[in-house]
Amino acid sequence: MTHPTADRLSRLRASMAAEGVDLVAVAPGSHMDWLIGFHPHPDERPCLLLVGSAREAFLMPVLNAQGTRESTDIAFHTWSDETGPAEALAAALDDIGAAQARSVVLDETMRADFALLVLGALPQASHAFTERTLGRLRMVKDEREFARLKMNAAIADRAMQTAFAAIRPGLTEKQIAQIVRDHFASEGATPAFWIVGAGSNGAFPHHQTGDRTLAEGDAIVIDIGGRKEGFPSDITRMAVVGEPPEGYGQIHSIVEKAVQAALKASRPGVMAREVDAAARRVIADAGYGEYFVHRTGHGLGIDGHEPPYVTATSETVLEEGMVFSIEPGIYIPGRFGIRLEEIVILRADGPEILSTLPRDLFVAR
């Protein structure tokens, strides 16, 4: 399947026109991947895709030009270590009609020295980041992206099931994590992250998986993700070794109700903060508000964390086609943590959950 570069450049230009933007400068990374389907080798040498109102061009280190030319026919303005990038940048801006740009959008992930190079060449220009242009376009996925996200979600489901099947007293968190990584690799996916938090370690939302040995009565947070064909997965489920600790069932039920409330609130036209509020309200009303210490969710696309962010302050209006996590949690210091996470595609009538695994506690006996 060919990459929809022309369509995405056209949509970006429509967005630029609507926002009064003369130039978008994109560095090697996920924004460039989304826009043209690849990115050149990223290093300290300034390399930028410059998109003007009618044309686009690359500022390209000569060192990378030949290899990159195999992937694109976009015009190059090359520079060498001997000459530096300033003249090539000026020529590129002139080529695309942006030498007098007064409104510039910068890729927020680019190196600071790249950004200062662009701004130094356009001292008359105001600047912003991609939130209202390229970033906004990326938030709404297409069928190509849905298919890859669903494929990765299915792989993550199977990886989670391998973790469940392996749990027993005496294994360490790291050993469970290795089983997860091995499963991702067995399906051609690159393991991306693996949080295995047993017992009191589960009370740290981003616990660094370690050498703790699983013991009877341990509740275990398992938050995992892999990456295949340029897209990621992300899922969190709960397991316990033998009998759950005292009070676990009640708190798991509260977190489950928070997930359901957030799912119900997720509709096109709703602000992301309303979804966060729906989940947070359930947990706060149950008396555990201080133990829900992170946002309710984040977007998922080329990046594992990207807009929209489902936070208490987000004013992003949800749209059909957005993909994001719903993952409320309660973390009791010194005892255990509970997080239940779904990735959803927002459809016209509400969220479509990508995982097929139930959110029930898995009991290893």
Side-chain angles (χ1 to χ4, degrees):
M1 184 184 297
T2 58
H3 188 272
T5 301
D7 175 66
R8 289 182 177 180
L9 283 169
S10 176
R11 289 167 57 202
L12 175 57
R13 288 196 168 96
S15 177
M16 291 167 63
E19 296 295 331
V21 172
D22 302 314
L23 171 69
V24 174
V26 184
S30 58
H31 280 320
M32 194 179 291
D33 285 344
W34 183 87
L35 192 57
I36 62 172
F38 80 101
H39 68 257
H41 174 70
D43 64 15
E44 71 280 4
R45 295 175 177 86
C47 177
L48 297 169
L49 175 62
L50 303 168
V51 181
S53 59
R55 295 186 302 281
E56 65 279 344
F58 265 107
L59 173 67
M60 179 65 63
V62 70
L63 188 67
N64 299 336
Q66 185 173 354
T68 303
R69 178 52 74 204
E70 297 174 358
S71 301
T72 182
D73 59 2
I74 293 173
F76 286 0
H77 291 268
T78 59
W79 64 275
S80 68
D81 291 338
E82 289 75 24
T83 62
E87 288 188 11
L89 175 59
L93 291 172
D94 186 63
D95 179 24
I96 65 172
Q100 302 301 318
R102 304 197 67 84
S103 177
V104 177
V105 163
L106 299 172
D107 177 348
E108 63 275 2
T109 70
M110 75 169 58
R111 290 171 55 114
D113 54 345
F114 290 15
L116 291 175
L117 180 69
V118 173
L119 296 178
L122 298 167
Q124 73 280 8
S126 63
H127 67 278
F129 295 122
T130 65
E131 180 181 8
R132 298 179 66 85
T133 52
L134 179 55
R136 183 164 191 83
L137 294 174
R138 278 185 61 185
M139 282 195 289
V140 177
K141 273 55 178 178
D142 58 26
E143 291 300 328
R144 169 195 178 106
E145 293 169 301
F146 295 152
R148 293 185 180 183
L149 288 165
K150 288 181 176 183
M151 174 191 67
N152 276 281
I155 294 171
D157 278 1
R158 293 188 289 270
M160 183 69 73
Q161 289 171 310
T162 65
F164 287 165
I167 291 171
R168 64 180 184 275
L171 286 186
T172 65
E173 294 173 344
K174 283 184 176 178
Q175 286 174 311
I176 298 298
Q178 185 61 54
I179 288 165
V180 168
R181 294 199 298 272
D182 289 346
H183 185 87
F184 278 124
S186 76
E187 296 207 41
T190 302
F193 62 91
W194 44 88
I195 298 173
V196 180
S200 59
N201 286 343
F204 305 117
H206 284 171
H207 168 61
Q208 296 295 310
T209 301
D211 293 319
R212 176 178 174 133
T213 300
L214 307 187
E216 290 285 343
D218 275 349
I220 310 166
V221 178
I222 306 175
D223 184 352
I224 60 174
R227 177 175 289 273
K228 186 173 181 178
E229 296 184 15
F231 283 79
S233 59
D234 191 356
I235 185 173
T236 310
R237 292 291 187 268
M238 295 297 306
V240 67
V241 183
E243 291 299 316
E246 183 180 354
Y248 179 95
Q250 177 197 17
I251 297 175
H252 188 112
S253 176
I254 294 165
V255 176
E256 170 61 22
K257 289 175 182 176
V259 171
Q260 293 179 14
L263 290 168
K264 184 177 181 180
S266 297
R267 295 291 185 275
V270 169
M271 283 190 180
R273 69 185 184 191
E274 296 177 51
V275 176
D276 182 89
R280 205 165 295 280
R281 189 177 306 114
V282 170
I283 292 174
D285 288 350
Y288 291 94
E290 66 182 294
Y291 302 114
F292 181 12
V293 295
H294 55 72
R295 63 195 175 200
T296 294
H298 58 83
L300 194 80
I302 294 174
D303 292 321
H305 285 191
E306 63 177 45
Y309 294 108
V310 185
T311 71
T313 58
S314 174
E315 296 187 357
T316 298
V317 177
L318 299 180
E319 296 180 41
E320 183 178 353
M322 288 182 173
V323 178
F324 52 91
S325 70
I326 290 175
E327 50 180 305
I330 294 175
Y331 307 91
I332 309 298
R335 298 198 62 213
F336 56 80
I338 300 175
R339 179 166 65 255
L340 301 173
E341 178 181 21
E342 301 287 13
I343 303 299
V344 303
I345 298 171
L346 190 60
R347 303 296 191 181
D349 59 351
E352 174 189 353
I353 297 172
L354 300 192
S355 172
T356 61
L357 294 184
R359 293 186 295 274
D360 301 339
L361 175 67
F362 175 83
V363 180
R365 299 191 184 277

